[in-house]
Amino acid sequence: MRTVPALLTVAVLATACAPSTQGPAAAPAPAPSASQDAAFDLAALVAAAKAEGSVTVYDSSGDIEDVAKAFTAKYGIQMEGVKSDSPETAEKMIREHAAGNVTIDATMYEDGGVLVGQLLPQQIVHTWIPGDLAKDIPPENQNPLMALAKATIFAYNTKLSPDGCPAKNVWDLTEPEWRGKVVMQDPLGKPTVLSFFTQLDAHGNQALEQAYQARYGKPLETKEKSAAYEWIKRLSANQPVLTGSDEDISGAVGAPTAKDSKIGFMSISKFRNNEEKGYTQAACTGMQPFAGFSYPKYAAIATKSKHPNAAKLFVHFIMTEEGVKHEIAEGGVSGNSTVKPLVVPEGLKDWKSELFHTDSAKLLADFQNRQVVSDFWRINHG
């Protein structure tokens, strides 16, 4: 299989550029380090931000609208929060930067591969660490600046399976009994799932091999490059039902009208449907070797922002409990170690031990390997 280096997310590839026909492209330049002000003065930053008057922030979650309301109420600065999928946000920021007409001041961006592989090295955005909060942000969360982490987990219907999740091991999902019964977002349109696949190959193979041994009582034998690729191949070939939204997954799995037991691979934010819509869904706690994966959401500022101080003030706000609580109210972990989780979804007992975690140090490799894993999924899913 020929590797075609990705220059954007899959969606942006389709609209902004064409694959090279001249062989592999040069590796992306290293992303610049996050910056800090030599002397940080919050009062001065607030005054400068107020003088600019407004700020616009794009985010893949609608929660940004609540963040905007809270920010405006606190500082008297008009903030507009816009929900936009990561590929669309990247494309818009790239085009605005090239045209010199920037309307997006900052972004809460969850596609770390594109962030470190393109947006940062091309100086379309930069990351900035609030000086007064730097001591509370672990080093691994600083470059690029991780505002928070969310999760995508395997979930089941507790009404249809009262004794617990009917799948105990991720390899179960590759068996005939689960053919056509795993519901997930199409990885080709969901960068976080593609990143999960590449990260799994980077540092999850041993866990997958151990889970295979536990499931089948023998070592894994594969002709693929790794255990991760073998699992991806078997999962994709088992005809999972692909959707365009986590809401559709939640409905297929946990709705009161659901008749067949299905496993959903969905955002933890959809557990709000239990209370709001009477759904009966829970995390597949104890699934081996993980019940899902966590992924970072980064805070980045447009390099040509017309409201740079207001954008910095937004970053400061989102790195505090007062700001991030609107993003993690349905589950999530702040990049600030002093902010404690507010909610743990039903069935997810331990965020740290039960999830596979994204390694920010491997984001550039995610970016470089994305097209390979995309093609691999497409070929095997058909």
Side-chain angles (χ1 to χ4, degrees):
M1 186 182 300
R2 179 175 178 270
T3 300
V4 182
L7 294 179
L8 293 169
T9 58
V10 174
V12 179
L13 267 169
T15 58
C17 63
S20 170
T21 58
Q22 304 300 319
S33 299
S35 64
Q36 288 189 52
D37 295 332
F40 181 77
D41 185 333
L42 181 57
L45 179 61
V46 171
K50 286 185 175 181
E52 292 171 352
S54 67
V55 64
T56 298
V57 181
Y58 274 45
D59 187 353
S60 56
S61 170
D63 294 333
I64 193 64
E65 296 174 6
D66 293 328
V67 176
K69 292 176 183 176
F71 180 88
T72 298
K74 181 177 178 65
Y75 295 112
I77 300 169
Q78 185 60 43
M79 174 179 163
E80 181 181 8
V82 179
K83 180 180 180 181
S84 172
D85 289 341
S86 295
E88 285 72 27
T89 297
E91 182 180 2
K92 184 172 175 63
M93 295 191 82
I94 291 166
R95 294 184 187 279
E96 288 188 351
H97 180 85
N101 183 26
V102 172
T103 65
I104 304 173
D105 297 301
T107 179
M108 295 285 286
Y109 199 72
E110 64 184 25
D111 189 351
V114 167
L115 181 65
V116 303
Q118 183 170 17
L119 299 182
L120 283 169
Q122 293 187 9
Q123 298 183 25
I124 293 164
V125 302
H126 68 277
T127 53
W128 171 81
I129 300 171
D132 60 334
L133 301 177
K135 66 183 185 305
D136 301 325
I137 303 171
E140 62 270 21
N141 293 349
Q142 291 193 11
N143 191 34
L145 179 63
M146 188 188 95
L148 61 114
K150 302 284 280 187
T152 294
I153 60 176
F154 294 107
Y156 72 103
N157 188 310
T158 58
K159 184 177 179 181
L160 296 177
S161 301
D163 295 329
C165 184
K168 309 299 183 184
N169 189 305
V170 296
W171 291 99
D172 290 348
L173 305 179
T174 69
E175 290 294 318
E177 65 185 290
W178 289 105
R179 185 174 180 83
K181 293 186 177 182
V182 175
V183 190
M184 60 186 290
Q185 284 213 46
D186 185 349
L188 302 183
K190 189 66 174 175
T192 55
V193 176
L194 288 179
S195 178
F196 166 59
F197 288 162
T198 55
Q199 289 265 332
L200 202 56
D201 181 50
H203 65 103
N205 286 307
Q206 183 177 5
L208 282 173
E209 290 168 4
Q210 292 171 346
Y212 185 94
Q213 176 82 40
R215 170 67 173 79
Y216 298 103
K218 60 182 180 179
L220 172 66
E221 295 182 5
T222 178
K223 295 181 180 180
E224 303 302 333
K225 63 172 291 191
S226 66
Y229 270 77
E230 181 65 31
W231 181 73
I232 294 167
K233 177 181 179 179
R234 294 189 189 191
L235 178 67
S236 58
N238 213 28
Q239 293 299 301
V241 178
L242 305 183
T243 77
S245 75
D246 287 310
E247 188 64 31
D248 290 341
I249 301 170
S250 180
V253 172
T257 54
K259 303 298 182 184
D260 295 329
S261 182
K262 295 182 174 66
I263 298 295
F265 198 36
M266 66 185 189
S267 169
I268 57 175
S269 67
K270 295 307 169 182
F271 278 82
R272 63 172 175 250
N273 287 335
N274 285 12
E275 180 177 348
E276 296 178 0
K277 298 183 178 182
Y279 284 14
T280 51
Q281 53 195 8
C284 284
T285 184
M287 178 180 274
Q288 296 301 313
F290 44 71
F293 70 95
S294 71
Y295 58 90
K297 183 178 284 189
Y298 302 95
I301 298 171
T303 304
K304 295 182 180 180
S305 167
K306 297 180 176 65
H307 311 101
N309 292 295
K312 283 185 175 182
L313 187 59
F314 161 75
V315 172
H316 186 279
F317 186 62
I318 204 67
M319 294 307 299
T320 66
E321 181 175 4
E322 187 176 8
V324 79
K325 68 181 182 182
H326 305 283
E327 291 263 357
I328 63 173
E330 293 157 352
V333 177
S334 172
N336 182 332
S337 62
T338 67
V339 179
K340 304 305 178 186
L342 302 178
V343 173
V344 177
E346 183 177 350
L348 186 62
K349 296 179 180 179
D350 186 346
W351 178 284
K352 185 175 182 179
S353 69
E354 292 200 60
L355 298 178
F356 177 84
H357 297 283
T358 297
D359 183 351
S360 292
K362 293 178 170 60
L363 292 176
L364 185 58
D366 286 349
F367 180 73
Q368 294 167 330
N369 295 324
R370 180 167 299 177
Q371 194 63 42
V372 175
V373 77
S374 296
D375 291 343
F376 188 74
W377 174 273
R378 184 183 291 109
I379 289 170
N380 287 289
H381 185 266

